[in-house]
Amino acid sequence: MDAENGNEKQILTGVVEDVVYYNDENCYAVCYIQTESDYVAVVGYLPYISEGESVAVTGVWTNHAEYGTQFKAEYYEKHLPKEKADILKYLSSGIIKGIRQVTAEKIVERFGGDALNVIADSPEKLACIGGISRNKAIEIGKSYAQQLGVRDVVIFLQKFGVPPSLAVKVYKHYGSASVDVIKSNPYMLSREVYGIGFKTADKIAMSMGVEPNAPPRIEAAVSYVLWEGAMNGHTFLPRGTLTESTCRLIGADAGECDAAITSMLFSNQLINELLPACEAIYQPALHNAELQSAARLAKIASVSFVQTDLETERIIADIEREQRITLAGRQREAVLASLKNGAMVITGGPGTGKTTIINAIIRVMEHLGKRIMLAAPTGRAAKRMSELCGTEAKTLHRLLEVGFAEESGSMTFSRNDENPLDCDVLIVDEMSMVDTLLLYAVLKAVKSGTRLIMVGDSDQLPSVGAGDVLRDVIASGSLPVIQLTEIFSQAKESMIVVNAHKINNGEYPVMNQRGSDFFMLYRENGQDLVGTIVDLCGARLPNTYGYDPITQIQVITPTRKGVAGVSALNERLQKALNPPGKAKKEKQFKTVTFREGDKVMQIKNNYELEWKRVSDGERGVGVFNGDVGQIARIDTRDETMAVLFDDREAVYDFARLDEIDLAYAVTVHKSQGSEFEAVVMPMYPSAPMLQNRNLLYTAVTRAKKLVVLAGRESVVRAMVDNVSEQKRFSGLRDKLRSLL
């Protein structure tokens, strides 16, 4: 029995009579098929289906609330039409470029039941028909060959659960040889086709009878373990760790895995580097990014600027008078350092004056006639920087003019060493969120003689991507670093700021003072805790402070699983904040129900997803890990979902819904770079590695006006006491030290 509606899978055979809807992007179709006994509505992902084709569709019967009984296709096979009437209908459908109704009639009249064979094998014969030149005949043959090729690949891969959109990418990469390539070594898909990972390739391979200890399988597993390591923040893995993890993944023995690593090193699929503590094994791209980043940063830092003290003091005095501020000692030191050094770091916690320094540097550089650019890793961080500095700040991706290379499936930047940024000063905020690959992209676009000022809080969590950039740069001792520790008097009025520093210093936060902005609600029982969080978001905070529960309140939790994890909290918060309604369309995807109006987050980088700016119609590509938006509409017929990220609307087909998740509650990692009016955080036992000082500090510093902790005080104390963090394997610090 099939899980959906309890129906058994069936095979429906017949001729496609009418295609009433077809989405070119995701291949979703609505069509009618004439079987021996019935005229049936069929829906599903039916790539390149066309009227007149004989098909065998595997699927289940469903009842749609609006459209009635339908046959929902899971996959299908085509049989080219043989009867003249069916061939005419097929050619008239427009599926072959260059053929429409009149031309189709002429071709069928001339070649009869052999028309498709002529188009496939001898297209030049079409030139004997009036209106078809030899060149047009050849183009018709090419179009038909491509249709057949794509169709064969899509149909071959759909049996393994590969969606049509990825199957088309496979065809574009390998062409007519696609199926042969897959059969010879399915693991090439995970290495060469963006979007197909090891597990999918391994599923195909195992179905095809590949031996469990075959070298291609072990090598693909090694690559996957390294990739997974990068997803966990490592730019490399020690050779022993890589071997052990590969063995555990596929059950091969250590000797076989080590031999595979050696083979991959010889063929330059991997790079090794002997470090004091281990033999580091890198993916080539990450090794190159780390090596080049160190070299380029060293070059930028090697430039020094001559500025007379008298001139500098005069400019700073003018700025202080204009801004009505008095720079403290470390702030003044930071401004002076920005004038003299090619590269520097400014780091400190909340309330230590980083924004004041950035503003002062901007004004000083403007006095000197310098061109300044501001940037941050995320849209929310860039927006906040713009508001605080009164100067436009862009996301790093937008600053670098991101694009997408369809052939390689990778992100590209128009700004690079051949087309550098046109500025004299680049200030990057939230540097703790910048990973190794993004750092390399930024440094490639910074021309010699440009001042690079990196600002961030090194005590926050490191980037989601591979590397520990800000900490490595600071620890290398290779650049001037201004460490800000003094909390200024105005910031001291906020217990959020005071407690953030207390937590960072290993002290317990002060909570529930009258008139404070930092509270703790004590709940021992897990269900009581969840009920309290729902009540806070849905009623108490909106009623007391006027906060919008969707846009201004954010629940932040250390863990995804458990009673106080992201999944459970999102389910409860969705019911309370955006309940079902007749006017709201929904889409069930795996265990999640998406509903119009839901708060959602992009959970993986998508470099090719197109968006349109609502305010001015500007178009672009790329939606990135951590972007938060709301579901604007769900189109169940088109099988698409539109999500509004601030002013940008992106449209997802249902096959891509694994890229987004509900975001009423998010993990601490996913909250980085964002600021919220109010933060609500559950304090409930979870894995020790997820209950440490660093996570609590990062979560608390996301709040602008209010923090409410709910749960057990013992968990708060345990997190403050726990200074352990997962060690990241990265080599940027050592490379910088060796260069500077």
Side-chain angles (χ1 to χ4, degrees):
M1 297 286 287
D2 187 83
E4 182 162 336
N5 295 338
N7 290 339
E8 292 183 358
K9 287 184 181 178
Q10 297 183 25
I11 299 176
L12 200 68
T13 59
V15 176
V16 180
E17 291 293 330
D18 189 16
V19 178
V20 296
Y21 176 80
Y22 187 78
N23 186 315
D24 288 316
E25 291 295 318
N26 60 14
C27 302
Y28 184 81
V30 178
C31 66
Y32 285 90
I33 294 177
Q34 180 66 59
T35 68
E36 285 186 359
S37 59
D38 209 352
Y39 190 66
V40 180
V42 178
V43 299
Y45 297 100
L46 301 165
Y48 304 103
I49 198 160
S50 181
E51 295 165 6
E53 291 180 313
S54 297
V55 294
V57 185
T58 300
V60 295
W61 290 101
T62 63
N63 285 304
H64 192 283
E66 188 174 349
Y67 301 113
T69 302
Q70 298 176 329
F71 192 76
K72 186 173 182 180
E74 294 186 5
Y75 60 88
Y76 83 118
E77 295 181 359
K78 291 186 180 184
H79 306 286
L80 290 174
K82 297 177 181 177
E83 301 298 323
K84 287 177 64 175
D86 293 334
I87 293 172
L88 177 59
K89 184 177 289 188
Y90 175 74
L91 292 178
S92 300
S93 69
I95 194 167
I96 300 176
K97 186 177 179 181
I99 299 180
R100 289 292 185 266
Q101 179 74 36
V102 174
T103 307
E105 290 173 355
K106 291 179 179 179
I107 292 172
V108 173
E109 183 181 347
R110 175 68 177 81
F111 297 106
D114 201 35
L116 294 179
N117 291 330
V118 170
I119 295 172
D121 302 326
S122 310
E124 66 278 359
K125 291 182 180 179
L126 298 176
C128 69
I129 296 173
I132 301 180
S133 67
R134 180 176 174 80
N135 286 340
K136 183 177 179 180
I138 298 300
E139 288 302 314
I140 289 172
K142 286 181 180 178
S143 174
Y144 184 56
Q146 184 176 8
Q147 289 292 338
L148 292 179
V150 175
R151 184 201 68 179
D152 291 345
V153 175
V154 169
I155 291 173
F156 177 75
L157 286 175
Q158 69 181 0
K159 298 174 185 176
F160 306 108
V162 178
S165 57
L166 284 181
V168 171
K169 285 185 179 180
V170 172
Y171 180 81
K172 287 181 178 178
H173 191 82
Y174 297 115
S176 59
S178 296
V179 173
D180 291 336
V181 169
I182 296 166
K183 288 180 177 178
S184 66
N185 183 2
Y187 295 104
M188 289 180 69
L189 294 173
S190 62
R191 289 202 301 268
E192 298 183 358
V193 181
Y194 175 76
I196 296 183
F198 170 78
K199 291 182 178 178
T200 300
D202 197 44
K203 178 182 176 183
I204 295 171
M206 293 294 96
S207 300
M208 290 168 50
V210 171
E211 292 295 325
N213 63 343
R217 182 174 191 244
I218 299 173
E219 290 184 6
V222 168
S223 295
Y224 174 73
V225 170
L226 269 180
W227 173 85
E228 200 172 45
M231 293 299 100
N232 288 317
H234 307 298
T235 60
F236 70 82
L237 289 179
R239 184 163 184 159
T241 303
L242 177 58
T243 300
E244 182 184 335
S245 298
T246 305
C247 293
R248 192 163 53 245
L249 175 67
I250 60 172
D253 68 48
E256 291 173 326
C257 292
D258 195 63
I261 292 170
T262 299
S263 174
M264 294 173 79
L265 288 170
F266 274 115
S267 61
N268 295 320
Q269 295 178 59
L270 302 177
I271 304 292
N272 69 332
E273 188 175 317
L274 293 177
L275 300 178
C278 67
E279 180 185 357
I281 307 295
Y282 284 87
Q283 298 177 51
L286 279 171
H287 183 262
N288 181 62
E290 202 172 78
L291 196 65
Q292 292 294 326
S293 292
R296 289 169 185 268
L297 190 54
K299 183 178 179 182
I300 294 167
S302 68
V303 178
S304 58
F305 299 89
V306 177
Q307 206 80 43
T308 67
D309 292 339
L310 186 63
E311 182 186 20
T312 301
E313 289 298 335
R314 180 183 58 77
I315 293 172
I316 291 177
D318 289 343
I319 297 302
E320 288 180 319
R321 196 162 43 250
E322 288 173 11
Q323 301 291 312
R324 297 181 181 179
I325 60 171
T326 300
L327 295 175
R330 294 293 279 172
Q331 291 179 320
R332 180 176 290 266
E333 185 183 339
V335 176
L336 291 171
S338 74
L339 289 168
K340 296 177 180 178
N341 295 286
M344 65 175 292
V345 173
I346 301 169
T347 183
T352 57
K354 294 192 297 294
T355 301
T356 300
I357 293 171
I358 293 173
N359 275 321
I361 291 173
I362 291 170
R363 305 308 163 220
V364 167
M365 295 299 178
E366 285 176 343
H367 266 260
L368 295 172
K370 304 297 182 185
R371 294 162 298 175
I372 306 154
M373 287 184 173
L374 308 183
T378 67
R380 286 173 175 256
K383 185 178 180 181
R384 188 174 75 250
M385 193 181 188
S386 298
E387 292 168 351
L388 293 173
C389 298
T391 302
E392 183 190 15
K394 297 180 179 180
T395 64
L396 286 169
H397 290 88
R398 187 176 169 212
L399 183 80
L400 299 174
E401 298 174 14
V402 67
F404 179 74
E406 194 168 304
E407 305 77 27
S408 60
S410 61
M411 179 172 51
T412 61
F413 293 112
S414 295
R415 293 291 181 175
N416 49 41
D417 36 18
E418 295 179 359
N419 181 31
L421 295 168
D422 187 20
C423 65
D424 302 305
V425 183
L426 174 62
I427 304 175
V428 182
D429 198 9
E430 295 284 1
M431 274 298 298
S432 63
M433 298 183 66
V434 174
D435 61 34
T436 300
L437 292 173
L438 187 53
L439 175 70
Y440 178 40
V442 170
L443 294 176
K444 280 203 294 184
V446 176
K447 62 187 176 185
S448 181
T450 300
R451 291 174 172 89
L452 175 63
I453 300 167
M454 295 171 281
V455 185
D457 185 348
S458 59
D459 292 316
Q460 286 191 23
L461 293 172
S463 59
V464 174
D468 202 352
V469 167
L470 182 58
R471 291 181 188 176
D472 277 355
V473 170
I474 292 171
S476 72
S478 57
L479 303 181
V481 176
I482 304 298
Q483 183 85 44
L484 305 172
T485 55
E486 179 186 355
I487 308 174
F488 290 93
S489 55
Q490 187 176 1
K492 286 180 180 176
E493 297 173 8
S494 168
M495 288 308 298
I496 296 173
V497 173
V498 172
N499 281 334
H501 286 273
K502 280 181 172 292
I503 291 165
N504 202 33
N505 293 328
E507 302 171 39
Y508 303 134
V510 176
M511 302 176 289
N512 298 338
Q513 287 186 342
R514 183 180 295 275
S516 174
D517 54 9
F518 200 110
F519 298 95
M520 174 92 190
L521 301 180
Y522 301 100
R523 302 289 186 272
E524 290 294 316
N525 179 275
Q527 291 305 319
D528 290 344
L529 163 63
V530 173
T532 297
I533 289 173
V534 171
D535 185 44
L536 281 167
C537 296
R540 292 175 65 175
L541 298 185
N543 293 340
T544 304
Y545 299 96
Y547 293 144
D548 183 292
I550 301 291
T551 61
Q552 294 182 303
I553 303 172
Q554 185 61 58
V555 177
I556 300 177
T557 179
T559 180
R560 288 200 58 82
K561 299 179 180 178
V563 67
V566 165
S567 300
L569 287 171
N570 268 325
E571 186 176 340
R572 287 288 301 274
L573 288 165
Q574 183 192 42
K575 287 179 182 176
L577 303 181
N578 189 33
K582 289 184 179 179
K584 298 177 188 175
K585 291 184 179 179
E586 299 181 354
K587 168 59 182 175
Q588 181 76 27
F589 184 79
K590 297 181 180 178
T591 60
V592 178
T593 299
F594 291 108
R595 185 174 297 132
E596 290 177 339
D598 273 338
K599 183 179 184 179
V600 293
M601 174 181 279
Q602 179 79 12
I603 57 173
K604 60 176 75 171
N605 288 335
N606 186 326
Y607 307 126
E608 62 178 328
L609 186 62
E610 295 182 356
W611 52 260
K612 179 181 178 181
R613 200 178 301 281
V614 176
S615 59
D616 58 14
E618 178 190 349
R619 293 182 179 273
V621 294
V623 180
F624 302 102
N625 193 350
D627 287 353
V628 175
Q630 268 187 281
I631 297 176
R633 62 184 179 278
I634 296 173
D635 190 326
T636 53
R637 177 162 183 172
D638 195 12
E639 296 260 316
T640 59
M641 179 185 296
V643 178
L644 195 62
F645 296 98
D646 291 326
D647 193 31
R648 298 174 303 144
E649 183 179 274
V651 178
Y652 297 74
D653 64 58
F654 284 175
R656 278 182 165 161
L657 294 187
D658 59 342
E659 295 183 8
I660 59 174
D661 200 359
L662 295 176
Y664 300 100
V666 300
T667 62
V668 181
H669 279 91
K670 295 293 187 185
S671 73
Q672 281 183 273
S674 298
E675 235 182 18
F676 311 96
E677 298 297 308
V679 164
V680 177
M681 188 175 186
M683 293 286 105
Y684 199 73
S686 61
M689 64 179 291
L690 295 174
Q691 292 199 317
N692 61 47
R693 183 183 302 173
N694 196 216
L695 266 87
L696 181 58
Y697 172 78
T698 301
V700 166
T701 56
R702 299 305 90 209
K704 291 169 67 176
K705 295 181 180 178
L706 182 68
V707 168
V708 182
L709 306 182
R712 301 181 185 178
E713 187 173 16
S714 60
V715 174
V716 179
R717 292 174 173 266
M719 292 185 80
V720 173
D721 292 340
N722 182 8
V723 295
S724 65
E725 293 180 53
Q726 182 187 10
K727 174 179 169 55
R728 288 197 167 195
F729 296 113
S730 64
L732 181 62
R733 179 190 61 183
D734 293 330
K735 290 178 175 65
L736 280 170
R737 280 179 175 171
S738 68
L739 289 167
L740 293 166

